[in-house]
Amino acid sequence: MQVFKILLTITLPIVFAQLCGADIFFSDCGSEVIHVEAIHADSCNSIPCSFSRGQVYDFTVIPDYLDSIDSSDLIARALIRGAEFEVTAELNEACGLPCPVNKRVFTPHIPVTIKLGTSLIAGPADLTLNSTYWYGGVQRSRFCVQFEIVIY
């Protein structure tokens, strides 16, 4: 009975993580001020994530904090076989959170939605998410993260 409890304790989180998505291993590609703690992909069960062309995918970016912001820009690109392609990406809110943000927010969960175009080349790719945060027309901070995907 004890062995069964141990196996259940080990396997249940693994099964649950596969059903709910996974945290993605990523690298920083030039963040300023912001340190990204984690990225979660709802449709990712293993790394690298496997994505189909023409589909929409939701990510959650979790930085350590965000300071006061009133707008942001988000650019997503896929590096495929040495060529860079723009990917449709959007934040659910203009700031990644309800705008404006007038105080420091610790470990915010920033929802990001991307759509992979049908014209992208199938195969391994590096997906880059680059977001810049503004307050009063001045750049406050930015994050840039990159992670591996496979496009089908």
Side-chain angles (χ1 to χ4, degrees), residues 14-72:
I14 293 170
V15 170
F16 184 72
Q18 288 181 346
L19 293 174
C20 297
D23 285 339
I24 297 173
F25 177 78
F26 65 92
S27 59
D28 187 280
C29 52
S31 297
E32 297 173 5
V33 180
I34 295 174
H35 172 75
V36 174
E37 301 279 335
I39 300 174
H40 182 81
D42 291 340
S43 302
C44 181
N45 294 326
S46 62
I47 307 300
C49 299
S50 297
F51 296 139
S52 297
R53 294 175 282 184
Q55 297 298 310
V56 175
Y57 297 96
D58 293 317
F59 296 87
T60 302
V61 178
I62 305 170
D64 53 352
Y65 70 90
L66 288 177
D67 274 329
S68 300
I69 52 176
D70 55 23
S71 65
S72 67

Side-chain angles (χ1 to χ4, degrees), residues 107-136:
T107 59
H109 287 63
I110 302 169
V112 174
T113 301
I114 66 161
K115 180 178 181 182
L116 293 179
T118 56
S119 62
L120 291 175
I121 300 168
D126 289 326
L127 183 64
T128 301
L129 300 176
N130 190 350
S131 186
T132 304
Y133 293 90
W134 305 87
Y135 189 73

Side-chain angles (χ1 to χ4, degrees), residues 129-149:
L129 300 176
N130 190 350
S131 186
T132 304
Y133 293 90
W134 305 87
Y135 189 73
V138 176
Q139 179 181 331
R140 299 280 299 197
S141 57
R142 67 186 280 266
F143 71 78
C144 182
V145 292
Q146 186 175 59
F147 48 92
E148 295 178 16
I149 64 173

